[in-house]
PDB file of all heavy atoms in Angstrom:
ATOM      1  N   LEU Y  23      14.525  12.832   6.744  1.00  0.00           N
ATOM      2  CA  LEU Y  23      13.421  13.843   6.669  1.00  0.00           C
ATOM      3  C   LEU Y  23      12.037  13.191   6.568  1.00  0.00           C
ATOM      4  O   LEU Y  23      11.098  13.563   7.243  1.00  0.00           O
ATOM      5  CB  LEU Y  23      13.687  14.715   5.505  1.00  0.00           C
ATOM      6  CG  LEU Y  23      14.735  15.772   5.579  1.00  0.00           C
ATOM      7  CD1 LEU Y  23      14.892  16.550   4.342  1.00  0.00           C
ATOM      8  CD2 LEU Y  23      14.350  16.873   6.656  1.00  0.00           C
ATOM      9  N   GLY Y  24      11.992  12.144   5.741  1.00  0.00           N
ATOM     10  CA  GLY Y  24      10.699  11.457   5.575  1.00  0.00           C
ATOM     11  C   GLY Y  24      10.273  10.731   6.880  1.00  0.00           C
ATOM     12  O   GLY Y  24       9.110  10.773   7.221  1.00  0.00           O
ATOM     13  N   ARG Y  25      11.214  10.234   7.627  1.00  0.00           N
ATOM     14  CA  ARG Y  25      10.853   9.579   8.912  1.00  0.00           C
ATOM     15  C   ARG Y  25      10.360  10.619   9.941  1.00  0.00           C
ATOM     16  O   ARG Y  25       9.470  10.339  10.761  1.00  0.00           O
ATOM     17  CB  ARG Y  25      12.037   8.842   9.520  1.00  0.00           C
ATOM     18  CG  ARG Y  25      12.543   7.644   8.703  1.00  0.00           C
ATOM     19  CD  ARG Y  25      11.514   6.504   8.578  1.00  0.00           C
ATOM     20  NE  ARG Y  25      11.051   6.014   9.850  1.00  0.00           N
ATOM     21  CZ  ARG Y  25      11.398   4.839  10.266  1.00  0.00           C
ATOM     22  NH1 ARG Y  25      12.310   4.092   9.583  1.00  0.00           N
ATOM     23  NH2 ARG Y  25      10.877   4.311  11.374  1.00  0.00           N
ATOM     24  N   LEU Y  26      10.878  11.831   9.884  1.00  0.00           N
ATOM     25  CA  LEU Y  26      10.438  12.900  10.759  1.00  0.00           C
ATOM     26  C   LEU Y  26       9.127  13.423  10.420  1.00  0.00           C
ATOM     27  O   LEU Y  26       8.222  13.750  11.203  1.00  0.00           O
ATOM     28  CB  LEU Y  26      11.505  13.944  10.863  1.00  0.00           C
ATOM     29  CG  LEU Y  26      12.801  13.566  11.567  1.00  0.00           C
ATOM     30  CD1 LEU Y  26      13.787  14.700  11.339  1.00  0.00           C
ATOM     31  CD2 LEU Y  26      12.538  13.295  13.040  1.00  0.00           C
ATOM     32  N   ILE Y  27       8.886  13.711   9.081  1.00  0.00           N
ATOM     33  CA  ILE Y  27       7.707  14.330   8.555  1.00  0.00           C
ATOM     34  C   ILE Y  27       6.452  13.516   8.937  1.00  0.00           C
ATOM     35  O   ILE Y  27       5.368  14.019   9.099  1.00  0.00           O
ATOM     36  CB  ILE Y  27       7.798  14.514   7.045  1.00  0.00           C
ATOM     37  CG1 ILE Y  27       8.774  15.645   6.712  1.00  0.00           C
ATOM     38  CG2 ILE Y  27       6.477  14.824   6.376  1.00  0.00           C
ATOM     39  CD1 ILE Y  27       9.091  15.792   5.242  1.00  0.00           C
ATOM     40  N   VAL Y  28       6.602  12.168   8.994  1.00  0.00           N
ATOM     41  CA  VAL Y  28       5.439  11.250   9.285  1.00  0.00           C
ATOM     42  C   VAL Y  28       4.774  11.627  10.592  1.00  0.00           C
ATOM     43  O   VAL Y  28       3.600  11.336  10.771  1.00  0.00           O
ATOM     44  CB  VAL Y  28       5.942   9.792   9.243  1.00  0.00           C
ATOM     45  CG1 VAL Y  28       4.985   8.848   9.980  1.00  0.00           C
ATOM     46  CG2 VAL Y  28       6.190   9.293   7.898  1.00  0.00           C
ATOM     47  N   PHE Y  29       5.486  12.182  11.528  1.00  0.00           N
ATOM     48  CA  PHE Y  29       4.908  12.579  12.813  1.00  0.00           C
ATOM     49  C   PHE Y  29       3.944  13.726  12.697  1.00  0.00           C
ATOM     50  O   PHE Y  29       3.172  13.933  13.621  1.00  0.00           O
ATOM     51  CB  PHE Y  29       6.026  12.844  13.873  1.00  0.00           C
ATOM     52  CG  PHE Y  29       6.741  11.647  14.203  1.00  0.00           C
ATOM     53  CD1 PHE Y  29       8.086  11.362  13.671  1.00  0.00           C
ATOM     54  CD2 PHE Y  29       6.236  10.679  15.113  1.00  0.00           C
ATOM     55  CE1 PHE Y  29       8.772  10.238  14.062  1.00  0.00           C
ATOM     56  CE2 PHE Y  29       6.975   9.506  15.450  1.00  0.00           C
ATOM     57  CZ  PHE Y  29       8.175   9.344  14.899  1.00  0.00           C
ATOM     58  N   LEU Y  30       4.023  14.515  11.622  1.00  0.00           N
ATOM     59  CA  LEU Y  30       3.134  15.647  11.412  1.00  0.00           C
ATOM     60  C   LEU Y  30       1.699  15.060  11.057  1.00  0.00           C
ATOM     61  O   LEU Y  30       1.540  14.004  10.578  1.00  0.00           O
ATOM     62  CB  LEU Y  30       3.535  16.478  10.262  1.00  0.00           C
ATOM     63  CG  LEU Y  30       4.931  17.238  10.466  1.00  0.00           C
ATOM     64  CD1 LEU Y  30       5.264  17.958   9.145  1.00  0.00           C
ATOM     65  CD2 LEU Y  30       4.770  18.209  11.693  1.00  0.00           C
ATOM     66  N   PRO Y  31       0.630  15.935  11.249  1.00  0.00           N
ATOM     67  CA  PRO Y  31      -0.641  15.577  10.758  1.00  0.00           C
ATOM     68  C   PRO Y  31      -0.603  15.391   9.265  1.00  0.00           C
ATOM     69  O   PRO Y  31       0.207  16.045   8.622  1.00  0.00           O
ATOM     70  CB  PRO Y  31      -1.532  16.759  11.131  1.00  0.00           C
ATOM     71  CG  PRO Y  31      -0.802  17.493  12.271  1.00  0.00           C
ATOM     72  CD  PRO Y  31       0.673  17.223  12.021  1.00  0.00           C
ATOM     73  N   LEU Y  32      -1.464  14.483   8.733  1.00  0.00           N
ATOM     74  CA  LEU Y  32      -1.409  14.201   7.361  1.00  0.00           C
ATOM     75  C   LEU Y  32      -1.568  15.408   6.478  1.00  0.00           C
ATOM     76  O   LEU Y  32      -0.826  15.581   5.453  1.00  0.00           O
ATOM     77  CB  LEU Y  32      -2.366  13.155   6.959  1.00  0.00           C
ATOM     78  CG  LEU Y  32      -2.547  12.839   5.482  1.00  0.00           C
ATOM     79  CD1 LEU Y  32      -1.259  12.205   4.973  1.00  0.00           C
ATOM     80  CD2 LEU Y  32      -3.705  11.768   5.277  1.00  0.00           C
ATOM     81  N   ASP Y  33      -2.482  16.315   6.810  1.00  0.00           N
ATOM     82  CA  ASP Y  33      -2.721  17.465   5.929  1.00  0.00           C
ATOM     83  C   ASP Y  33      -1.484  18.386   5.940  1.00  0.00           C
ATOM     84  O   ASP Y  33      -1.218  19.044   4.883  1.00  0.00           O
ATOM     85  CB  ASP Y  33      -3.922  18.231   6.446  1.00  0.00           C
ATOM     86  CG  ASP Y  33      -5.207  17.602   5.897  1.00  0.00           C
ATOM     87  OD1 ASP Y  33      -5.186  16.809   4.925  1.00  0.00           O
ATOM     88  OD2 ASP Y  33      -6.285  17.852   6.560  1.00  0.00           O
ATOM     89  N   ALA Y  34      -0.777  18.400   7.048  1.00  0.00           N
ATOM     90  CA  ALA Y  34       0.516  19.194   7.040  1.00  0.00           C
ATOM     91  C   ALA Y  34       1.544  18.559   6.133  1.00  0.00           C
ATOM     92  O   ALA Y  34       2.269  19.280   5.407  1.00  0.00           O
ATOM     93  CB  ALA Y  34       1.027  19.354   8.462  1.00  0.00           C
ATOM     94  N   GLN Y  35       1.592  17.276   6.098  1.00  0.00           N
ATOM     95  CA  GLN Y  35       2.461  16.531   5.228  1.00  0.00           C
ATOM     96  C   GLN Y  35       2.153  16.822   3.797  1.00  0.00           C
ATOM     97  O   GLN Y  35       3.072  17.005   2.926  1.00  0.00           O
ATOM     98  CB  GLN Y  35       2.419  15.039   5.496  1.00  0.00           C
ATOM     99  CG  GLN Y  35       2.864  14.637   6.872  1.00  0.00           C
ATOM    100  CD  GLN Y  35       2.882  13.102   7.065  1.00  0.00           C
ATOM    101  OE1 GLN Y  35       3.271  12.332   6.195  1.00  0.00           O
ATOM    102  NE2 GLN Y  35       2.231  12.694   8.221  1.00  0.00           N
ATOM    103  N   LEU Y  36       0.889  16.760   3.506  1.00  0.00           N
ATOM    104  CA  LEU Y  36       0.423  16.998   2.113  1.00  0.00           C
ATOM    105  C   LEU Y  36       0.680  18.483   1.687  1.00  0.00           C
ATOM    106  O   LEU Y  36       0.992  18.659   0.504  1.00  0.00           O
ATOM    107  CB  LEU Y  36      -1.087  16.729   1.994  1.00  0.00           C
ATOM    108  CG  LEU Y  36      -1.477  15.252   2.117  1.00  0.00           C
ATOM    109  CD1 LEU Y  36      -2.941  15.016   2.052  1.00  0.00           C
ATOM    110  CD2 LEU Y  36      -0.730  14.353   1.131  1.00  0.00           C
ATOM    111  N   TRP Y  37       0.626  19.397   2.563  1.00  0.00           N
ATOM    112  CA  TRP Y  37       1.038  20.832   2.295  1.00  0.00           C
ATOM    113  C   TRP Y  37       2.448  20.851   1.883  1.00  0.00           C
ATOM    114  O   TRP Y  37       2.764  21.444   0.862  1.00  0.00           O
ATOM    115  CB  TRP Y  37       0.692  21.770   3.431  1.00  0.00           C
ATOM    116  CG  TRP Y  37       1.031  23.169   3.140  1.00  0.00           C
ATOM    117  CD1 TRP Y  37       0.227  24.115   2.623  1.00  0.00           C
ATOM    118  CD2 TRP Y  37       2.285  23.726   3.417  1.00  0.00           C
ATOM    119  NE1 TRP Y  37       0.897  25.308   2.489  1.00  0.00           N
ATOM    120  CE2 TRP Y  37       2.181  25.093   2.963  1.00  0.00           C
ATOM    121  CE3 TRP Y  37       3.527  23.390   3.910  1.00  0.00           C
ATOM    122  CZ2 TRP Y  37       3.229  26.031   3.028  1.00  0.00           C
ATOM    123  CZ3 TRP Y  37       4.538  24.306   4.075  1.00  0.00           C
ATOM    124  CH2 TRP Y  37       4.405  25.590   3.563  1.00  0.00           C
ATOM    125  N   LEU Y  38       3.297  20.156   2.548  1.00  0.00           N
ATOM    126  CA  LEU Y  38       4.752  20.103   2.172  1.00  0.00           C
ATOM    127  C   LEU Y  38       4.832  19.474   0.768  1.00  0.00           C
ATOM    128  O   LEU Y  38       5.701  19.906  -0.014  1.00  0.00           O
ATOM    129  CB  LEU Y  38       5.486  19.391   3.187  1.00  0.00           C
ATOM    130  CG  LEU Y  38       5.681  19.986   4.591  1.00  0.00           C
ATOM    131  CD1 LEU Y  38       6.358  19.026   5.605  1.00  0.00           C
ATOM    132  CD2 LEU Y  38       6.507  21.274   4.445  1.00  0.00           C
ATOM    133  N   GLY Y  39       4.093  18.424   0.538  1.00  0.00           N
ATOM    134  CA  GLY Y  39       4.149  17.780  -0.811  1.00  0.00           C
ATOM    135  C   GLY Y  39       3.794  18.700  -1.862  1.00  0.00           C
ATOM    136  O   GLY Y  39       4.339  18.711  -3.030  1.00  0.00           O
ATOM    137  N   ARG Y  40       2.706  19.569  -1.684  1.00  0.00           N
ATOM    138  CA  ARG Y  40       2.351  20.559  -2.574  1.00  0.00           C
ATOM    139  C   ARG Y  40       3.399  21.492  -2.917  1.00  0.00           C
ATOM    140  O   ARG Y  40       3.668  21.889  -4.150  1.00  0.00           O
ATOM    141  CB  ARG Y  40       1.078  21.204  -2.173  1.00  0.00           C
ATOM    142  CG  ARG Y  40      -0.246  20.383  -2.197  1.00  0.00           C
ATOM    143  CD  ARG Y  40      -1.479  21.228  -1.830  1.00  0.00           C
ATOM    144  NE  ARG Y  40      -1.685  22.109  -2.944  1.00  0.00           N
ATOM    145  CZ  ARG Y  40      -2.557  21.918  -3.968  1.00  0.00           C
ATOM    146  NH1 ARG Y  40      -3.080  20.709  -3.981  1.00  0.00           N
ATOM    147  NH2 ARG Y  40      -2.725  22.744  -4.913  1.00  0.00           N
ATOM    148  N   GLN Y  41       4.180  21.928  -1.897  1.00  0.00           N
ATOM    149  CA  GLN Y  41       5.268  22.841  -2.148  1.00  0.00           C
ATOM    150  C   GLN Y  41       6.338  22.135  -2.991  1.00  0.00           C
ATOM    151  O   GLN Y  41       6.994  22.790  -3.891  1.00  0.00           O
ATOM    152  CB  GLN Y  41       5.840  23.416  -0.787  1.00  0.00           C
ATOM    153  CG  GLN Y  41       4.810  23.916   0.151  1.00  0.00           C
ATOM    154  CD  GLN Y  41       3.765  24.735  -0.540  1.00  0.00           C
ATOM    155  OE1 GLN Y  41       4.025  25.723  -1.229  1.00  0.00           O
ATOM    156  NE2 GLN Y  41       2.473  24.386  -0.258  1.00  0.00           N
ATOM    157  N   LEU Y  42       6.595  20.891  -2.676  1.00  0.00           N
ATOM    158  CA  LEU Y  42       7.612  20.119  -3.513  1.00  0.00           C
ATOM    159  C   LEU Y  42       7.092  20.149  -4.944  1.00  0.00           C
ATOM    160  O   LEU Y  42       7.843  20.215  -5.865  1.00  0.00           O
ATOM    161  CB  LEU Y  42       7.703  18.711  -2.912  1.00  0.00           C
ATOM    162  CG  LEU Y  42       8.621  17.718  -3.711  1.00  0.00           C
ATOM    163  CD1 LEU Y  42      10.076  18.260  -3.656  1.00  0.00           C
ATOM    164  CD2 LEU Y  42       8.540  16.360  -3.094  1.00  0.00           C
ATOM    165  N   GLY Y  43       5.734  19.936  -5.147  1.00  0.00           N
ATOM    166  CA  GLY Y  43       5.246  19.834  -6.512  1.00  0.00           C
ATOM    167  C   GLY Y  43       5.378  21.223  -7.204  1.00  0.00           C
ATOM    168  O   GLY Y  43       5.641  21.276  -8.387  1.00  0.00           O
ATOM    169  N   ARG Y  44       5.300  22.317  -6.505  1.00  0.00           N
ATOM    170  CA  ARG Y  44       5.484  23.620  -7.035  1.00  0.00           C
ATOM    171  C   ARG Y  44       6.878  23.752  -7.581  1.00  0.00           C
ATOM    172  O   ARG Y  44       7.113  24.461  -8.626  1.00  0.00           O
ATOM    173  CB  ARG Y  44       5.210  24.714  -6.033  1.00  0.00           C
ATOM    174  CG  ARG Y  44       3.684  24.923  -5.797  1.00  0.00           C
ATOM    175  CD  ARG Y  44       3.463  26.116  -4.828  1.00  0.00           C
ATOM    176  NE  ARG Y  44       1.972  26.258  -4.581  1.00  0.00           N
ATOM    177  CZ  ARG Y  44       1.533  27.240  -3.783  1.00  0.00           C
ATOM    178  NH1 ARG Y  44       2.426  28.050  -3.139  1.00  0.00           N
ATOM    179  NH2 ARG Y  44       0.267  27.399  -3.615  1.00  0.00           N
ATOM    180  N   VAL Y  45       7.905  23.319  -6.782  1.00  0.00           N
ATOM    181  CA  VAL Y  45       9.265  23.375  -7.164  1.00  0.00           C
ATOM    182  C   VAL Y  45       9.449  22.554  -8.492  1.00  0.00           C
ATOM    183  O   VAL Y  45      10.130  22.985  -9.363  1.00  0.00           O
ATOM    184  CB  VAL Y  45      10.189  22.904  -6.053  1.00  0.00           C
ATOM    185  CG1 VAL Y  45      11.632  22.808  -6.539  1.00  0.00           C
ATOM    186  CG2 VAL Y  45      10.081  23.891  -4.887  1.00  0.00           C
ATOM    187  N   ALA Y  46       8.848  21.360  -8.482  1.00  0.00           N
ATOM    188  CA  ALA Y  46       9.023  20.514  -9.613  1.00  0.00           C
ATOM    189  C   ALA Y  46       8.393  21.156 -10.872  1.00  0.00           C
ATOM    190  O   ALA Y  46       8.980  20.988 -11.995  1.00  0.00           O
ATOM    191  CB  ALA Y  46       8.350  19.111  -9.326  1.00  0.00           C
ATOM    192  N   PHE Y  47       7.297  21.812 -10.674  1.00  0.00           N
ATOM    193  CA  PHE Y  47       6.666  22.472 -11.819  1.00  0.00           C
ATOM    194  C   PHE Y  47       7.634  23.472 -12.522  1.00  0.00           C
ATOM    195  O   PHE Y  47       7.650  23.608 -13.723  1.00  0.00           O
ATOM    196  CB  PHE Y  47       5.395  23.173 -11.363  1.00  0.00           C
ATOM    197  CG  PHE Y  47       4.685  23.954 -12.438  1.00  0.00           C
ATOM    198  CD1 PHE Y  47       3.784  23.365 -13.281  1.00  0.00           C
ATOM    199  CD2 PHE Y  47       4.903  25.366 -12.613  1.00  0.00           C
ATOM    200  CE1 PHE Y  47       3.117  24.023 -14.264  1.00  0.00           C
ATOM    201  CE2 PHE Y  47       4.214  26.057 -13.615  1.00  0.00           C
ATOM    202  CZ  PHE Y  47       3.351  25.415 -14.413  1.00  0.00           C
ATOM    203  N   ARG Y  48       8.394  24.137 -11.685  1.00  0.00           N
ATOM    204  CA  ARG Y  48       9.306  25.150 -12.259  1.00  0.00           C
ATOM    205  C   ARG Y  48      10.490  24.501 -12.919  1.00  0.00           C
ATOM    206  O   ARG Y  48      10.994  25.071 -13.932  1.00  0.00           O
ATOM    207  CB  ARG Y  48       9.864  26.015 -11.116  1.00  0.00           C
ATOM    208  CG  ARG Y  48       8.832  26.972 -10.509  1.00  0.00           C
ATOM    209  CD  ARG Y  48       9.489  27.930  -9.579  1.00  0.00           C
ATOM    210  NE  ARG Y  48      10.495  28.745 -10.327  1.00  0.00           N
ATOM    211  CZ  ARG Y  48      11.309  29.641  -9.715  1.00  0.00           C
ATOM    212  NH1 ARG Y  48      11.277  29.741  -8.368  1.00  0.00           N
ATOM    213  NH2 ARG Y  48      12.238  30.321 -10.391  1.00  0.00           N
ATOM    214  N   PHE Y  49      10.925  23.355 -12.478  1.00  0.00           N
ATOM    215  CA  PHE Y  49      12.195  22.882 -12.986  1.00  0.00           C
ATOM    216  C   PHE Y  49      12.119  21.664 -13.904  1.00  0.00           C
ATOM    217  O   PHE Y  49      13.020  21.377 -14.724  1.00  0.00           O
ATOM    218  CB  PHE Y  49      13.184  22.560 -11.809  1.00  0.00           C
ATOM    219  CG  PHE Y  49      13.671  23.800 -11.102  1.00  0.00           C
ATOM    220  CD1 PHE Y  49      13.103  24.101  -9.915  1.00  0.00           C
ATOM    221  CD2 PHE Y  49      14.679  24.580 -11.600  1.00  0.00           C
ATOM    222  CE1 PHE Y  49      13.475  25.260  -9.157  1.00  0.00           C
ATOM    223  CE2 PHE Y  49      15.139  25.679 -10.896  1.00  0.00           C
ATOM    224  CZ  PHE Y  49      14.537  26.012  -9.750  1.00  0.00           C
ATOM    225  N   MET Y  50      11.006  20.964 -13.836  1.00  0.00           N
ATOM    226  CA  MET Y  50      10.844  19.696 -14.734  1.00  0.00           C
ATOM    227  C   MET Y  50      10.170  20.155 -16.025  1.00  0.00           C
ATOM    228  O   MET Y  50       9.024  19.914 -16.208  1.00  0.00           O
ATOM    229  CB  MET Y  50      10.038  18.715 -14.002  1.00  0.00           C
ATOM    230  CG  MET Y  50      10.780  18.204 -12.780  1.00  0.00           C
ATOM    231  SD  MET Y  50       9.844  16.958 -11.783  1.00  0.00           S
ATOM    232  CE  MET Y  50       9.620  15.542 -12.942  1.00  0.00           C
ATOM    233  N   ASP Y  51      10.904  20.875 -16.879  1.00  0.00           N
ATOM    234  CA  ASP Y  51      10.285  21.500 -17.994  1.00  0.00           C
ATOM    235  C   ASP Y  51       9.754  20.432 -19.088  1.00  0.00           C
ATOM    236  O   ASP Y  51       8.721  20.635 -19.614  1.00  0.00           O
ATOM    237  CB  ASP Y  51      11.323  22.463 -18.703  1.00  0.00           C
ATOM    238  CG  ASP Y  51      12.648  21.882 -18.874  1.00  0.00           C
ATOM    239  OD1 ASP Y  51      12.931  20.737 -18.423  1.00  0.00           O
ATOM    240  OD2 ASP Y  51      13.542  22.530 -19.500  1.00  0.00           O
ATOM    241  N   LYS Y  52      10.439  19.387 -19.241  1.00  0.00           N
ATOM    242  CA  LYS Y  52       9.969  18.413 -20.191  1.00  0.00           C
ATOM    243  C   LYS Y  52       8.629  17.809 -19.683  1.00  0.00           C
ATOM    244  O   LYS Y  52       7.684  17.702 -20.461  1.00  0.00           O
ATOM    245  CB  LYS Y  52      11.032  17.255 -20.384  1.00  0.00           C
ATOM    246  CG  LYS Y  52      10.585  16.123 -21.366  1.00  0.00           C
ATOM    247  CD  LYS Y  52      11.540  15.029 -21.435  1.00  0.00           C
ATOM    248  CE  LYS Y  52      11.402  14.120 -20.207  1.00  0.00           C
ATOM    249  NZ  LYS Y  52      12.243  12.846 -20.395  1.00  0.00           N
ATOM    250  N   GLU Y  53       8.607  17.404 -18.486  1.00  0.00           N
ATOM    251  CA  GLU Y  53       7.397  16.758 -17.940  1.00  0.00           C
ATOM    252  C   GLU Y  53       6.218  17.803 -17.907  1.00  0.00           C
ATOM    253  O   GLU Y  53       5.097  17.407 -18.192  1.00  0.00           O
ATOM    254  CB  GLU Y  53       7.639  16.308 -16.523  1.00  0.00           C
ATOM    255  CG  GLU Y  53       8.463  14.977 -16.473  1.00  0.00           C
ATOM    256  CD  GLU Y  53       9.919  15.279 -16.666  1.00  0.00           C
ATOM    257  OE1 GLU Y  53      10.340  16.516 -16.641  1.00  0.00           O
ATOM    258  OE2 GLU Y  53      10.759  14.390 -16.784  1.00  0.00           O
ATOM    259  N   ARG Y  54       6.595  19.029 -17.613  1.00  0.00           N
ATOM    260  CA  ARG Y  54       5.471  20.070 -17.602  1.00  0.00           C
ATOM    261  C   ARG Y  54       4.938  20.226 -19.032  1.00  0.00           C
ATOM    262  O   ARG Y  54       3.692  20.332 -19.190  1.00  0.00           O
ATOM    263  CB  ARG Y  54       6.110  21.402 -17.130  1.00  0.00           C
ATOM    264  CG  ARG Y  54       5.087  22.544 -17.012  1.00  0.00           C
ATOM    265  CD  ARG Y  54       5.753  23.834 -16.603  1.00  0.00           C
ATOM    266  NE  ARG Y  54       6.774  24.324 -17.518  1.00  0.00           N
ATOM    267  CZ  ARG Y  54       8.150  24.535 -17.277  1.00  0.00           C
ATOM    268  NH1 ARG Y  54       8.495  24.245 -16.037  1.00  0.00           N
ATOM    269  NH2 ARG Y  54       8.945  24.874 -18.211  1.00  0.00           N
ATOM    270  N   ASP Y  55       5.848  20.262 -20.068  1.00  0.00           N
ATOM    271  CA  ASP Y  55       5.348  20.513 -21.424  1.00  0.00           C
ATOM    272  C   ASP Y  55       4.662  19.347 -21.951  1.00  0.00           C
ATOM    273  O   ASP Y  55       3.567  19.417 -22.676  1.00  0.00           O
ATOM    274  CB  ASP Y  55       6.571  20.781 -22.338  1.00  0.00           C
ATOM    275  CG  ASP Y  55       7.176  22.135 -22.047  1.00  0.00           C
ATOM    276  OD1 ASP Y  55       6.567  22.959 -21.456  1.00  0.00           O
ATOM    277  OD2 ASP Y  55       8.307  22.353 -22.563  1.00  0.00           O
ATOM    278  N   VAL Y  56       5.008  18.058 -21.480  1.00  0.00           N
ATOM    279  CA  VAL Y  56       4.316  16.901 -21.984  1.00  0.00           C
ATOM    280  C   VAL Y  56       2.893  16.777 -21.293  1.00  0.00           C
ATOM    281  O   VAL Y  56       1.986  16.550 -21.964  1.00  0.00           O
ATOM    282  CB  VAL Y  56       5.043  15.630 -21.518  1.00  0.00           C
ATOM    283  CG1 VAL Y  56       4.252  14.344 -21.574  1.00  0.00           C
ATOM    284  CG2 VAL Y  56       6.354  15.434 -22.373  1.00  0.00           C
ATOM    285  N   ALA Y  57       2.774  17.257 -20.008  1.00  0.00           N
ATOM    286  CA  ALA Y  57       1.518  17.297 -19.386  1.00  0.00           C
ATOM    287  C   ALA Y  57       0.606  18.260 -20.105  1.00  0.00           C
ATOM    288  O   ALA Y  57      -0.653  17.997 -20.222  1.00  0.00           O
ATOM    289  CB  ALA Y  57       1.678  17.616 -17.894  1.00  0.00           C
ATOM    290  N   ARG Y  58       1.091  19.485 -20.415  1.00  0.00           N
ATOM    291  CA  ARG Y  58       0.274  20.446 -21.103  1.00  0.00           C
ATOM    292  C   ARG Y  58      -0.257  19.897 -22.444  1.00  0.00           C
ATOM    293  O   ARG Y  58      -1.401  20.018 -22.748  1.00  0.00           O
ATOM    294  CB  ARG Y  58       1.109  21.700 -21.368  1.00  0.00           C
ATOM    295  CG  ARG Y  58       1.316  22.551 -20.209  1.00  0.00           C
ATOM    296  CD  ARG Y  58       2.306  23.620 -20.471  1.00  0.00           C
ATOM    297  NE  ARG Y  58       2.373  24.561 -19.368  1.00  0.00           N
ATOM    298  CZ  ARG Y  58       3.428  25.449 -19.162  1.00  0.00           C
ATOM    299  NH1 ARG Y  58       4.477  25.417 -19.929  1.00  0.00           N
ATOM    300  NH2 ARG Y  58       3.432  26.250 -18.085  1.00  0.00           N
ATOM    301  N   ARG Y  59       0.639  19.167 -23.185  1.00  0.00           N
ATOM    302  CA  ARG Y  59       0.215  18.640 -24.493  1.00  0.00           C
ATOM    303  C   ARG Y  59      -0.799  17.543 -24.302  1.00  0.00           C
ATOM    304  O   ARG Y  59      -1.754  17.438 -25.028  1.00  0.00           O
ATOM    305  CB  ARG Y  59       1.405  18.207 -25.304  1.00  0.00           C
ATOM    306  CG  ARG Y  59       1.132  17.708 -26.676  1.00  0.00           C
ATOM    307  CD  ARG Y  59       0.534  18.797 -27.585  1.00  0.00           C
ATOM    308  NE  ARG Y  59       1.414  19.963 -27.560  1.00  0.00           N
ATOM    309  CZ  ARG Y  59       2.394  20.161 -28.436  1.00  0.00           C
ATOM    310  NH1 ARG Y  59       2.729  19.191 -29.338  1.00  0.00           N
ATOM    311  NH2 ARG Y  59       3.149  21.261 -28.412  1.00  0.00           N
ATOM    312  N   ASN Y  60      -0.610  16.726 -23.296  1.00  0.00           N
ATOM    313  CA  ASN Y  60      -1.552  15.663 -22.965  1.00  0.00           C
ATOM    314  C   ASN Y  60      -2.988  16.118 -22.700  1.00  0.00           C
ATOM    315  O   ASN Y  60      -3.974  15.617 -23.184  1.00  0.00           O
ATOM    316  CB  ASN Y  60      -1.055  14.771 -21.854  1.00  0.00           C
ATOM    317  CG  ASN Y  60      -0.014  13.778 -22.255  1.00  0.00           C
ATOM    318  OD1 ASN Y  60       0.081  13.378 -23.435  1.00  0.00           O
ATOM    319  ND2 ASN Y  60       0.853  13.352 -21.256  1.00  0.00           N
ATOM    320  N   TYR Y  61      -3.043  17.213 -21.917  1.00  0.00           N
ATOM    321  CA  TYR Y  61      -4.318  17.817 -21.620  1.00  0.00           C
ATOM    322  C   TYR Y  61      -4.926  18.393 -22.857  1.00  0.00           C
ATOM    323  O   TYR Y  61      -6.170  18.356 -23.082  1.00  0.00           O
ATOM    324  CB  TYR Y  61      -4.158  18.899 -20.556  1.00  0.00           C
ATOM    325  CG  TYR Y  61      -4.257  18.384 -19.154  1.00  0.00           C
ATOM    326  CD1 TYR Y  61      -3.269  18.575 -18.219  1.00  0.00           C
ATOM    327  CD2 TYR Y  61      -5.393  17.619 -18.705  1.00  0.00           C
ATOM    328  CE1 TYR Y  61      -3.325  18.034 -16.870  1.00  0.00           C
ATOM    329  CE2 TYR Y  61      -5.445  17.086 -17.473  1.00  0.00           C
ATOM    330  CZ  TYR Y  61      -4.462  17.277 -16.563  1.00  0.00           C
ATOM    331  OH  TYR Y  61      -4.543  16.842 -15.231  1.00  0.00           O
ATOM    332  N   GLU Y  62      -4.166  18.988 -23.710  1.00  0.00           N
ATOM    333  CA  GLU Y  62      -4.693  19.506 -25.013  1.00  0.00           C
ATOM    334  C   GLU Y  62      -5.200  18.443 -25.822  1.00  0.00           C
ATOM    335  O   GLU Y  62      -6.274  18.601 -26.443  1.00  0.00           O
ATOM    336  CB  GLU Y  62      -3.575  20.243 -25.769  1.00  0.00           C
ATOM    337  CG  GLU Y  62      -3.079  21.553 -25.164  1.00  0.00           C
ATOM    338  CD  GLU Y  62      -1.842  22.077 -25.904  1.00  0.00           C
ATOM    339  OE1 GLU Y  62      -1.386  21.413 -26.947  1.00  0.00           O
ATOM    340  OE2 GLU Y  62      -1.334  23.158 -25.525  1.00  0.00           O
TER     341      GLU Y  62
END
């Protein structure tokens, strides 16, 4: 998948990366809570 995605324009690749980040935000609860506390 990574080898294929590289052929896309960079901004299209980064859009896919942002969607991956949205999924991670939902499921990585420990890291999400740690980030919230660090910002506080």
Side-chain angles (χ1 to χ4, degrees):
L23 282 174
R25 295 299 300 256
L26 291 172
I27 288 171
V28 161
F29 291 102
L30 295 173
L32 176 59
D33 282 338
Q35 295 180 50
L36 295 177
W37 181 87
L38 291 173
R40 290 186 69 89
Q41 308 321 303
L42 179 62
R44 286 184 177 181
V45 173
F47 177 84
R48 288 191 61 189
F49 292 100
M50 296 177 66
D51 48 354
K52 180 183 75 171
E53 288 78 7
R54 183 182 63 237
D55 291 344
V56 166
R58 283 173 174 158
R59 186 62 55 86
N60 282 337
Y61 273 124
E62 290 173 1

